[in-house]
Amino acid sequence: MDIDKKLVKKIATLSRIKIEENEVERFSNELSKIISWVEKLNEVDTKDIIPITNPSDIKIPYRKDEINDGKIKDKILKNAPEKKAGYFIVPKVVE
Amino acid sequence: MTDLKNINLEKCLELLKGKKISSKELVSFYLKEAESNKKLNAYISLNSENAIKSAEESDKRIAKNQARPLEGVPLAIKDLFCTKDILTTAASKMLKNFKPTYESTVTKKLWDAGAILLGKTNLDEFAMGSSNETSFFGASINPWSKDNKQYVPGGSSGGSASAVSGNITIAAIGTDTGGSIRQPASYCGIVGLKPTYGRCSRWGIVSFASSLDQAGPMTKTVNDSALMLDVMAGHDKKDSTSADLEKTNFYKNLKNSKKLKIGIPKQYKNDQLSKEIVKFWELGIEFFKKNNCEIVEIDLPHTEYALATYYIISSAEASSNLARYDGIRYGLRKNSEDINDLYEQTRSDGFGDEVKRRIMIGTYVLSAGYYDAYYLKAQKVRSKIINDFNQAFEKVDVIFTPTAPSDAFEQGSKIDDPIQMYLNDVFTVPVSLAGLPAISVPIGLSSNNLPLGFQIIGKRFDEDSVLSAAKIIEESANFKKEKN
Amino acid sequence: MNNLNDWETIIGLEIHAQIVSKSKLFSGASTDFGSEPNTQVSLVDAAMPGMLPVINKYCVEQVIKTGLGLNAQINKRSVFDRKNYFYPDLPQGYQISQFTQPIVGKGSIEIDLKDGSSKEIGITRLHLEQDAGKSVHDLEPNKSYIDLNRSGIALMEIVSEPDIRSAEEAQEYVKKLRSILRYIGTCDGNMEEGSLRCDVNISVRKKGEELGTRCEIKNVNSIKSIGQAIDYEFKRQIEIIKSGGRIDQETRLFDEKKGETRSMRSKEEAHDYRYFPDPDLPPLDINDDWTNEIKKNLPELPDVKKAKLINQHKISSYDASILVSDKNNAEFFDKIIDGNKKRNPKNIVNWIIGDLFSLLNKNNLKIKNSPVKAEDLGELIDLIEDSTISRKIAKNVFEEMFKTKKKARDIIEKKGLKQITNTDEIESIIEKILANNKDKVEQYKSGKEKLFGYFVGQVMQETKGTANPGIVNEILKKKLAN
């Protein structure tokens, strides 16, 4: 599968990564190579095979409905690059 | 005068308990050693301030006979584990100034057992790599480098491997997603163990690929590995993938040798394998035979598809796990008047090329129209690979393979070809996909005088057999560090 | 020709209902509304590096309860998926939701329409997911302020089949759904506080033709807005088609002030959410034992309750609807009817819906906090029934009970309001009145029949309204006939 420049730009946007014009070709080549390489999987017969997400067979553990977290505003905001009046600040998001 | 440089963890605990050395001496010594070996670039940061203080407290406890299992021992921690109020960078520009307000479960267990943080070690950025060359803080060097050549320590836990091998720490911990503990252990001539998926908690470890990541010890000997794992392992309520099992006794259990059936997968022996590796493989098999173990040929038919499966799944999970690095709540921020531009600038500046490549591959294989052909397909092949191992383990107790297809390579020799780099993981990746425990133990030196390690793979939660088999290789190979 | 009757609208609703629980879905932080920003945020909610989700069992139970309340299938295995997109109020960069395998499958609810008919609206599915944080856009001109208190609260997303055909149906669906959720206690249905949110999917077509392109309308925050948004969209889409244009498949926002929908300013690309199973969470298994345990403890559902009220107590459908619109109403009624089987249900209903509701509304109170308790109202009704007081007096007594929280008997005692039924007593009072109004009696006897009311009034005044009107009328008639 060839990852052409248009597709590279689309993927980059979805990933919120900026690719400069002069990098697009390089990424296109690298990604194309990697994708072609992984296409090897098409050789495997996987009819009727149930896909696996996690190798463990652990049962989902439950938590009791009690309030035992939060109320740590200072810790939550401590590493924020921009904060004010207890909020995280970002450039105006237009809806 | 006790030789503090060439002692292992076990010996160290003995000396501390016997009051032959103090923790303060030990820690001071290792801080100095770390400082004077900056050329290895094994550490991103050293805990100089607090380590001595902690050592003094450990000495007090030892004096009162209140020593905990790892009391007073300095450890090197891969800079992927969140350590409270201490710089945790994941070797990335994105987190270069990040100090978490919390401690990872695994490191907390080590500190609660009396161990002391020596420093945070170097790694491939966000644990993505096999050579420690993608770190924002520069490459780490394999202490076996000589003749003016720089060899890679392997990756992603290259810094930890380098530190242990270079004797600038007693022991270290790393993480293993596709071989990131085992492969550097092989390249640096030390012991590296990846426990069963779910054996150690992932809480507080900067996440790369959730269904693959595991914390594990990187040590000079197999006994050390068992000692460390006994402390690191355990159920964590805060991690939904953490196994709830009985307390472990790996160190104690090593005293009883086991008669094991050793599996040799025929698909791992291909024409591309170097004669040298084949030679050592046969040597290892002899070691097992001499120790009463039966050798059985086994079949792992989907071996050749494991790398592709791994790269699809790990990239997919990584693309999602790294979405939180957006410049809003922590980490690097490149300001802008538009939020999407802020995201793009921050992430482009904060992430290196390999990380960007993996995020984009991950985004691609999950996107509409491609999900079935890549991600879903990979999940199904993963299922087949797991089944391969299940079938094999009906016949054998452990499986014995090379850890890596070669010894350490020179810095810069593979960095421009991602696929060449990925091929280093060919023997380690299937194990990760199946969530099995595996260890790399040094077996000898290559013709290039660089270490070679071999891998022992076990059934889920059977680290006992893995360690037992590793002990056989360790004792038989009698690998001595002959550098310098 | 502007004949809208040739057209029909196909509507499906997506409701997001915040689950009533103390802590969040995957973290132990509180779910309280209205706290200081970022005070109900854990490290997990803030998506700090290395954080992992652990699921709140009670939230899962609330979903199962809701599924049962919607007559829906509870799936034995369900999976959590990550929905990936970037937005400042989504700290992880993905929302933990459910895509291919939700907890609840197909179900249905019945709605009642104004014209007396009922209609079944299908439920496609219900799944469990995390709520996002809140962005405040108006505190500074060039910045948005992010508060993550809401981030991670458990939400149920309830998707209806596109069975809805009018604004009224849509509103009744939401009202009914809300009452069920409130009834079983899984969501407080508070649209003003945002614990119940509605997205409308609407398309139009000429009757008999193919389905049209649908638009999604967001930000519809009240029952009234639902009606307005649908009415507006219906007309807008038809106009476009009539003038030869095409409907863009898009997401639009409802503007409450203008009563219109508008295109979202930022042209978002078609979202590619790249759903995949969350590797941090094993699958959710719900066995029959668990479901049955929950079923056992489920309160009677509104529709079942309503049917009982109609069949057992012969209450009108309209009145029954009001009683089941709120679990507290039904409970209030039940307490009264259970207190004394002889009580007339119709009476009880009239008192509740008429007198009680009127006073509650005037005083801005909910029935849960009514100063008059169910047992006390029941007692009052008994006192009318056994003629201790007249209905007219009872109304005053009731007002007094509401104001003072005192019991009926105490008020009646204190104010001497007991109905006089002793015929001798009444007769002597009547004789007194007639004796004092000889002239009026003469006038009455010579034809001024209207004066009857005057005499009755006088008797009532004399007895402070407590004389039994029936007996007064009888005796007065007899006396005046002589």
Side-chain angles (χ1 to χ4, degrees), chain B residues 49-62:
Chain B
E49 271 179 51
N50 297 322
I52 302 287
K53 257 190 251 148
S54 302
E56 286 167 351
E57 275 165 35
S58 279
D59 283 329
K60 286 199 197 119
R61 280 180 158 260
I62 293 172

PDB file of all heavy atoms in Angstrom, chain B residues 49-62:
ATOM      1  N   GLU B  49      21.110  14.667  45.563  1.00  0.00           N
ATOM      2  CA  GLU B  49      20.663  15.285  46.825  1.00  0.00           C
ATOM      3  C   GLU B  49      20.088  14.292  47.802  1.00  0.00           C
ATOM      4  O   GLU B  49      20.533  14.170  48.931  1.00  0.00           O
ATOM      5  CB  GLU B  49      19.603  16.330  46.536  1.00  0.00           C
ATOM      6  CG  GLU B  49      20.149  17.712  46.278  1.00  0.00           C
ATOM      7  CD  GLU B  49      18.996  18.653  45.983  1.00  0.00           C
ATOM      8  OE1 GLU B  49      18.046  18.666  46.778  1.00  0.00           O
ATOM      9  OE2 GLU B  49      19.064  19.324  44.948  1.00  0.00           O
ATOM     10  N   ASN B  50      19.031  13.572  47.333  1.00  0.00           N
ATOM     11  CA  ASN B  50      18.272  12.752  48.274  1.00  0.00           C
ATOM     12  C   ASN B  50      18.860  11.374  48.551  1.00  0.00           C
ATOM     13  O   ASN B  50      18.559  10.770  49.578  1.00  0.00           O
ATOM     14  CB  ASN B  50      16.844  12.563  47.756  1.00  0.00           C
ATOM     15  CG  ASN B  50      16.123  13.883  47.660  1.00  0.00           C
ATOM     16  OD1 ASN B  50      16.291  14.745  48.510  1.00  0.00           O
ATOM     17  ND2 ASN B  50      15.355  14.048  46.606  1.00  0.00           N
ATOM     18  N   ALA B  51      19.685  10.887  47.636  1.00  0.00           N
ATOM     19  CA  ALA B  51      20.178   9.515  47.790  1.00  0.00           C
ATOM     20  C   ALA B  51      20.995   9.344  49.075  1.00  0.00           C
ATOM     21  O   ALA B  51      20.832   8.355  49.793  1.00  0.00           O
ATOM     22  CB  ALA B  51      20.995   9.106  46.575  1.00  0.00           C
ATOM     23  N   ILE B  52      21.850  10.308  49.338  1.00  0.00           N
ATOM     24  CA  ILE B  52      22.677  10.196  50.553  1.00  0.00           C
ATOM     25  C   ILE B  52      21.796  10.225  51.800  1.00  0.00           C
ATOM     26  O   ILE B  52      21.968   9.436  52.724  1.00  0.00           O
ATOM     27  CB  ILE B  52      23.723  11.335  50.633  1.00  0.00           C
ATOM     28  CG1 ILE B  52      24.617  11.329  49.395  1.00  0.00           C
ATOM     29  CG2 ILE B  52      24.545  11.231  51.904  1.00  0.00           C
ATOM     30  CD1 ILE B  52      25.612  10.196  49.360  1.00  0.00           C
ATOM     31  N   LYS B  53      20.846  11.131  51.817  1.00  0.00           N
ATOM     32  CA  LYS B  53      19.921  11.230  52.960  1.00  0.00           C
ATOM     33  C   LYS B  53      19.230   9.896  53.179  1.00  0.00           C
ATOM     34  O   LYS B  53      19.143   9.394  54.303  1.00  0.00           O
ATOM     35  CB  LYS B  53      18.867  12.314  52.688  1.00  0.00           C
ATOM     36  CG  LYS B  53      19.138  13.611  53.424  1.00  0.00           C
ATOM     37  CD  LYS B  53      17.960  14.555  53.319  1.00  0.00           C
ATOM     38  CE  LYS B  53      18.328  15.728  52.411  1.00  0.00           C
ATOM     39  NZ  LYS B  53      17.231  16.264  51.666  1.00  0.00           N
ATOM     40  N   SER B  54      18.698   9.318  52.091  1.00  0.00           N
ATOM     41  CA  SER B  54      18.006   8.033  52.201  1.00  0.00           C
ATOM     42  C   SER B  54      18.953   6.953  52.686  1.00  0.00           C
ATOM     43  O   SER B  54      18.571   6.089  53.482  1.00  0.00           O
ATOM     44  CB  SER B  54      17.429   7.620  50.845  1.00  0.00           C
ATOM     45  OG  SER B  54      16.557   8.594  50.360  1.00  0.00           O
ATOM     46  N   ALA B  55      20.194   7.024  52.231  1.00  0.00           N
ATOM     47  CA  ALA B  55      21.185   6.022  52.653  1.00  0.00           C
ATOM     48  C   ALA B  55      21.408   6.091  54.159  1.00  0.00           C
ATOM     49  O   ALA B  55      21.507   5.065  54.847  1.00  0.00           O
ATOM     50  CB  ALA B  55      22.496   6.244  51.908  1.00  0.00           C
ATOM     51  N   GLU B  56      21.496   7.326  54.654  1.00  0.00           N
ATOM     52  CA  GLU B  56      21.679   7.489  56.102  1.00  0.00           C
ATOM     53  C   GLU B  56      20.518   6.879  56.872  1.00  0.00           C
ATOM     54  O   GLU B  56      20.705   6.216  57.892  1.00  0.00           O
ATOM     55  CB  GLU B  56      21.854   8.966  56.445  1.00  0.00           C
ATOM     56  CG  GLU B  56      23.225   9.490  56.044  1.00  0.00           C
ATOM     57  CD  GLU B  56      23.315  11.015  56.085  1.00  0.00           C
ATOM     58  OE1 GLU B  56      22.258  11.671  56.262  1.00  0.00           O
ATOM     59  OE2 GLU B  56      24.432  11.533  55.929  1.00  0.00           O
ATOM     60  N   GLU B  57      19.300   7.095  56.370  1.00  0.00           N
ATOM     61  CA  GLU B  57      18.148   6.510  57.041  1.00  0.00           C
ATOM     62  C   GLU B  57      18.200   4.994  56.987  1.00  0.00           C
ATOM     63  O   GLU B  57      17.853   4.321  57.962  1.00  0.00           O
ATOM     64  CB  GLU B  57      16.863   7.000  56.382  1.00  0.00           C
ATOM     65  CG  GLU B  57      16.437   8.325  56.955  1.00  0.00           C
ATOM     66  CD  GLU B  57      15.407   9.028  56.109  1.00  0.00           C
ATOM     67  OE1 GLU B  57      14.559   8.330  55.520  1.00  0.00           O
ATOM     68  OE2 GLU B  57      15.461  10.270  56.035  1.00  0.00           O
ATOM     69  N   SER B  58      18.627   4.469  55.861  1.00  0.00           N
ATOM     70  CA  SER B  58      18.744   3.006  55.743  1.00  0.00           C
ATOM     71  C   SER B  58      19.755   2.465  56.750  1.00  0.00           C
ATOM     72  O   SER B  58      19.531   1.429  57.369  1.00  0.00           O
ATOM     73  CB  SER B  58      19.172   2.622  54.330  1.00  0.00           C
ATOM     74  OG  SER B  58      18.073   2.616  53.467  1.00  0.00           O
ATOM     75  N   ASP B  59      20.864   3.179  56.898  1.00  0.00           N
ATOM     76  CA  ASP B  59      21.887   2.733  57.860  1.00  0.00           C
ATOM     77  C   ASP B  59      21.311   2.675  59.273  1.00  0.00           C
ATOM     78  O   ASP B  59      21.594   1.751  60.039  1.00  0.00           O
ATOM     79  CB  ASP B  59      23.102   3.662  57.804  1.00  0.00           C
ATOM     80  CG  ASP B  59      23.979   3.379  56.585  1.00  0.00           C
ATOM     81  OD1 ASP B  59      24.010   2.203  56.156  1.00  0.00           O
ATOM     82  OD2 ASP B  59      24.599   4.319  56.052  1.00  0.00           O
ATOM     83  N   LYS B  60      20.479   3.664  59.601  1.00  0.00           N
ATOM     84  CA  LYS B  60      19.850   3.671  60.939  1.00  0.00           C
ATOM     85  C   LYS B  60      19.002   2.421  61.117  1.00  0.00           C
ATOM     86  O   LYS B  60      19.030   1.759  62.144  1.00  0.00           O
ATOM     87  CB  LYS B  60      18.973   4.910  61.113  1.00  0.00           C
ATOM     88  CG  LYS B  60      19.736   6.188  61.315  1.00  0.00           C
ATOM     89  CD  LYS B  60      18.846   7.282  61.928  1.00  0.00           C
ATOM     90  CE  LYS B  60      19.514   8.654  61.737  1.00  0.00           C
ATOM     91  NZ  LYS B  60      18.681   9.559  60.929  1.00  0.00           N
ATOM     92  N   ARG B  61      18.228   2.112  60.094  1.00  0.00           N
ATOM     93  CA  ARG B  61      17.351   0.934  60.175  1.00  0.00           C
ATOM     94  C   ARG B  61      18.165  -0.355  60.298  1.00  0.00           C
ATOM     95  O   ARG B  61      17.801  -1.249  61.052  1.00  0.00           O
ATOM     96  CB  ARG B  61      16.481   0.827  58.924  1.00  0.00           C
ATOM     97  CG  ARG B  61      15.297   1.738  58.949  1.00  0.00           C
ATOM     98  CD  ARG B  61      14.477   1.577  57.663  1.00  0.00           C
ATOM     99  NE  ARG B  61      13.126   2.037  57.889  1.00  0.00           N
ATOM    100  CZ  ARG B  61      12.098   1.245  58.123  1.00  0.00           C
ATOM    101  NH1 ARG B  61      12.264  -0.052  58.139  1.00  0.00           N
ATOM    102  NH2 ARG B  61      10.903   1.746  58.339  1.00  0.00           N
ATOM    103  N   ILE B  62      19.210  -0.426  59.522  1.00  0.00           N
ATOM    104  CA  ILE B  62      20.047  -1.634  59.558  1.00  0.00           C
ATOM    105  C   ILE B  62      20.634  -1.805  60.962  1.00  0.00           C
ATOM    106  O   ILE B  62      20.674  -2.895  61.516  1.00  0.00           O
ATOM    107  CB  ILE B  62      21.162  -1.568  58.494  1.00  0.00           C
ATOM    108  CG1 ILE B  62      20.548  -1.621  57.092  1.00  0.00           C
ATOM    109  CG2 ILE B  62      22.168  -2.721  58.670  1.00  0.00           C
ATOM    110  CD1 ILE B  62      21.507  -1.378  55.956  1.00  0.00           C
TER     111      ILE B  62
END
